[in-house]
Amino acid sequence: MMRIPILKLHNYLLISIQIDLDDQTAIQFQEDLLKKIHETGATGVVIDLTSVDIVDSYIAKVLGDVVSMSDLMGAKVVLTGIQPAVAITLIDLGIHLKDVPTSLDLEKGLIKLRQELEE
Amino acid sequence: MDTVLQDIVLGNSDEIVKKWINEVEKNSVHKYSLTISEELFDSTNREFVNVIFVSVQNQGSKDDLKDFAERIINFGWPLNYLTEGMQAFRRVTTNFIIERSETLDAERFKQVLESVDEWVDPIVNFLVSEYSGSWESTVSLQKVALQELSAPLIPVMDGITVMPLIGTIDTERAKLIMENLLEGAIKHNAEVVLIDITGVPVVDTMVAHHIIQAAEAVRLVGSTCILVGIRPEIAQTIVNLGIDLSKFPTKSSLRKGFQSALEITDRAVVNLKDKGNEMENMIDSLNKG
């Protein structure tokens, strides 16, 4: 099983997912991230999905959960770099990730995060 | 026996041609005479009947027929000119052979019909397939052209991209639109994507559904989607159909949409010279003078 690295940058946590997530890795990632938020007291999280080509409904649900869990722990999450194919799949599956902020790339994601935290 | 019949037909070709031309003219003089000159009609008729005779004479060879068909298709002659001509040929030839036959029993009758069919049917089949082939290629060409036109994406500004949609949207096109929209949003690094539906004549539940899906997908890849160009009647149908478009911003015109796109990307349009001030300055300078 792969562990997804979580990098800390000031108050933010950066995660770049570069493998196709399987169910176990996703759950492990969820636990790791929440632990990390707890340890570091991070206020913002950027999850970059640029290299993810396939997302199934379970992974999508986990991602959605991670976002609302992190929110509960006081860290805003932005998803970045969702690929067109992935977006189409998610919409077709009826997963709209309604309250999840998204951005085109990491840079815009960080800007968005700062805006959201300032508000 | 076949060759005997063939000889009768070929030997009396002049007479048959005369009868055939009469028949064709009787049938079609009121149909084509409006658009096609008489000489052209005559020459085409003669050519047509020649081609028929040639292909009756050397069964199987279709070169002349192919040439003729190509030319006549290019010219835009209707298909029913050819089919009617072939039907006339069948009638004329059958009548002619039967008139010439000394003995007329069921067997002979059958033979005549069969051999005339043998001459006529391959020609008809060939002509019809040539025609439908040309139609099919036209349709497929047009389909390609339509697809090229169907989902253009225009990057008007850094971070702002417009997709003007014109014409009816069906499922296939909606798919193309969504793909182009997403690919384009990422390629042009567009923060805001404006979908302009000014040119979409009808927005029904299906079209709305496709547009909503596209907008949601655009949001997932990280851009904002604004739907612009909603005409009054479109607004009415959308509300009457109970379609919920409240989830993403809509604007009545591209101009207004562009304005809010600028706001989202933290920009504004600034006049380099203030026209009002300029007027005042001018009046001032006149007063001074």
Side-chain angles (χ1 to χ4, degrees):
Chain A
M1 190 183 59
M2 292 271 296
R3 296 281 282 267
I4 292 161
I6 301 170
L7 312 175
K8 180 178 167 299
L9 179 77
H10 299 296
N11 285 332
Y12 301 145
L13 294 178
L14 305 182
I15 300 108
S16 169
I17 300 179
Q18 303 189 350
I19 52 166
D20 285 332
L21 288 167
D22 59 55
D23 297 0
Q24 237 184 337
T25 316
I27 290 295
Q28 183 68 48
F29 164 65
Q30 178 181 315
E31 279 171 19
D32 286 353
L33 178 61
L34 296 180
K35 211 187 279 170
K36 199 86 172 178
I37 293 173
H38 182 69
E39 279 170 18
T40 60
T43 51
V45 179
V46 180
I47 304 177
D48 185 56
L49 299 169
T50 311
S51 341
V52 176
D53 295 324
I54 302 165
V55 167
D56 63 19
S57 53
Y58 183 73
I59 302 296
K61 181 190 169 292
V62 172
L63 282 176
D65 288 353
V66 168
V67 173
S68 28
M69 288 169 186
S70 307
D71 250 353
L72 279 180
M73 296 186 63
K76 270 261 170 227
V77 183
V78 175
L79 295 182
T80 64
I82 297 180
Q83 293 298 308
V86 174
I88 293 175
T89 321
L90 290 179
I91 295 300
D92 283 346
L93 289 172
I95 301 161
H96 298 299
L97 296 175
K98 256 189 205 104
D99 304 314
V100 185
T102 51
S103 273
L104 281 169
D105 51 30
L106 184 62
E107 195 183 337
K108 292 211 170 85
L110 283 170
I111 294 169
K112 185 161 211 161
L113 205 53
R114 210 175 53 207
Q115 283 171 350
E116 298 236 344
L117 288 176
E118 274 169 11
E119 273 166 14
Chain B
M1 197 63 200
D2 263 352
T3 40
V4 175
L5 290 178
Q6 199 173 336
D7 286 344
I8 295 179
V9 172
L10 293 175
N12 299 293
S13 56
D14 287 348
E15 210 165 321
I16 292 179
V17 167
K18 217 182 287 168
K19 283 189 178 172
W20 181 83
I21 286 180
N22 276 339
E23 183 95 355
V24 169
E25 279 178 354
K26 195 176 70 198
N27 275 343
S28 51
V29 81
H30 48 282
K31 273 191 211 156
Y32 312 118
S33 55
L34 286 177
T35 48
I36 295 164
S37 74
E38 209 139 295
E39 297 116 64
L40 183 62
F41 189 58
D42 282 348
S43 70
T44 312
N45 275 344
R46 260 197 300 279
E47 199 181 346
F48 185 20
V49 83
N50 276 340
V51 169
I52 296 172
F53 273 104
V54 169
S55 80
V56 168
Q57 197 168 8
N58 36 17
Q59 293 281 316
S61 153
K62 296 225 162 68
D63 290 348
D64 282 354
L65 198 60
K66 198 175 166 67
D67 267 10
F68 174 70
E70 259 169 30
R71 225 160 340 118
I72 217 160
I73 288 170
N74 279 339
F75 232 77
W77 283 75
L79 175 60
N80 63 353
Y81 164 73
L82 295 177
T83 50
E84 272 167 20
M86 291 314 295
Q87 283 156 10
F89 181 77
R90 191 200 303 264
R91 272 198 304 277
V92 169
T93 321
T94 316
N95 283 340
F96 185 82
I97 296 176
I98 287 172
E99 275 166 21
R100 285 301 167 96
S101 302
E102 306 91 23
T103 55
L104 246 194
D105 46 28
E107 189 63 23
R108 167 83 176 161
F109 200 71
K110 201 177 133 218
Q111 251 169 14
V112 172
L113 285 183
E114 268 175 10
S115 41
V116 172
D117 279 351
E118 235 166 75
W119 302 329
V120 171
D121 287 346
I123 303 179
V124 174
N125 288 342
F126 181 78
L127 288 175
V128 170
S129 76
E130 283 285 296
Y131 253 89
S132 59
S134 89
W135 291 331
E136 272 161 25
S137 68
T138 313
V139 168
S140 66
L141 278 179
Q142 280 175 347
K143 209 170 178 184
V144 171
L146 210 65
Q147 221 157 51
E148 282 165 356
L149 295 174
S150 72
L153 199 68
I154 308 166
V156 279
M157 216 182 200
D158 254 10
I160 301 176
T161 309
V162 179
M163 178 177 270
L165 296 179
I166 290 171
T168 325
I169 297 173
D170 57 8
T171 312
E172 203 180 321
R173 194 174 168 205
K175 228 166 122 188
L176 206 74
I177 288 170
M178 199 198 279
E179 278 165 19
N180 275 6
L181 201 61
L182 298 180
E183 302 274 347
I186 287 179
K187 189 173 136 208
H188 302 303
N189 208 355
E191 261 177 82
V192 185
V193 183
L194 299 155
I195 302 180
D196 182 16
I197 58 164
T198 317
V200 180
V202 183
V203 176
D204 55 12
T205 36
M206 197 200 62
V207 173
H209 172 75
H210 287 314
I211 292 175
I212 290 173
Q213 285 215 320
E216 299 256 345
V218 167
R219 200 186 64 80
L220 279 185
V221 300
S223 315
T224 312
C225 189
I226 304 178
L227 191 63
V228 301
I230 298 181
R231 286 171 282 131
E233 60 266 33
I234 300 279
Q236 283 176 38
T237 37
I238 286 175
V239 172
N240 284 337
L241 289 171
I243 300 164
D244 184 18
L245 284 181
S246 58
K247 270 176 283 175
F248 56 94
T250 52
K251 287 278 180 290
S252 62
S253 67
L254 183 59
R255 192 195 314 174
K256 285 186 183 156
F258 199 74
Q259 204 76 47
S260 48
L262 287 175
E263 275 165 30
I264 290 173
T265 52
D266 294 326
R267 280 178 286 193
V269 178
V270 179
N271 288 331
L272 286 180
K273 279 184 186 162
D274 194 339
K275 278 200 180 129
N277 262 346
E278 203 133 281
M279 215 53 191
E280 279 169 24
N281 288 345
M282 206 170 73
I283 294 168
D284 278 352
S285 67
L286 284 178
N287 283 343
K288 274 176 203 159

